[in-house]
Amino acid sequence: MKVLVSGIVDLSTIDYPKKASAVIFLHGCNMKCPYCHNLKFMLEHKRGMTVEEIFNDIDFLFADAIVISGGEPTLQKDAVIEIARYAKEKGFPVKIDTNGTHPEVIEELIKNNLIDYVAIDVKCRFEKYKNITGYDGEKMKENVP
């Protein structure tokens, strides 16, 4: 299975609280927030990689955790699950950064003990989502318990 990757950071001290982490930026997003610091880079960079290639590409000298980010990583559901499973098999805690538009992916990760930390980027009030992100906030509101 090829995962669409926009970039990999071997070491981050800010993306996973109290851990040094490697960050995998998955390609694609269902929002086009004009202030996004990843959007231009993500849209210009896309590489198909297997999960093994991703992990072989990371220098784990200092990283002791994995962050799956994007874009919006949950758009690649199977890839996220495979990356998280592989990371857990290697003994890494896993964090995911998400905009919250695919809660079923997060639910599956939690049910299968594949995730240790979830960060949800709430952009604004639901009624303002369409203007700010181009995404229908009412769809998101339906998924709120």
Side-chain angles (χ1 to χ4, degrees):
M1 166 202 229
K2 290 287 186 177
V3 178
L4 296 179
V5 178
S6 287
I8 297 171
V9 173
D10 291 331
L11 179 64
S12 170
T13 58
I14 61 171
D15 286 286
Y16 198 127
K18 299 184 180 181
K19 294 192 182 304
S21 63
V23 184
I24 303 162
F25 292 92
L26 298 189
H27 182 78
C29 188
N30 53 348
M31 295 185 186
K32 303 294 186 265
C33 305
Y35 53 82
C36 179
H37 63 284
N38 288 346
L39 183 61
K40 185 175 189 291
F41 183 84
M42 182 197 55
L43 293 176
E44 293 174 358
H45 297 86
K46 176 172 66 171
R47 190 166 118 192
M49 302 175 76
T50 66
V51 172
E52 292 80 17
E53 288 171 332
I54 292 169
F55 278 79
N56 288 337
D57 199 47
I58 297 171
D59 180 352
F60 284 106
L61 181 61
F62 296 108
D64 59 358
I66 297 294
V67 175
I68 305 169
S69 192
E72 176 49 41
T74 61
L75 294 176
Q76 294 187 62
K77 176 185 176 181
D78 294 338
V80 168
I81 290 168
E82 190 173 333
I83 291 167
R85 183 170 284 121
Y86 192 92
K88 296 302 269 182
E89 288 171 1
K90 299 289 184 188
F92 291 104
V94 178
K95 173 185 176 249
I96 189 165
D97 296 329
T98 179
N99 63 24
T101 56
H102 291 86
E104 69 283 356
V105 177
I106 303 303
E107 181 179 28
E108 186 168 339
L109 290 165
I110 291 169
K111 282 183 178 177
N112 290 295
N113 296 313
L114 296 175
I115 203 83
D116 300 286
Y117 194 108
V118 177
I120 299 176
D121 184 9
V122 178
K123 313 291 185 185
C124 56
R125 295 189 325 244
F126 289 125
E127 59 270 12
K128 291 190 172 197
Y129 261 77
K130 190 87 169 156
N131 288 341
I132 292 176
T133 69
Y135 189 85
D136 186 355
E138 292 304 312
K139 288 181 185 176
M140 291 181 70
K141 199 174 189 177
E142 294 170 10
N143 292 324
V144 176

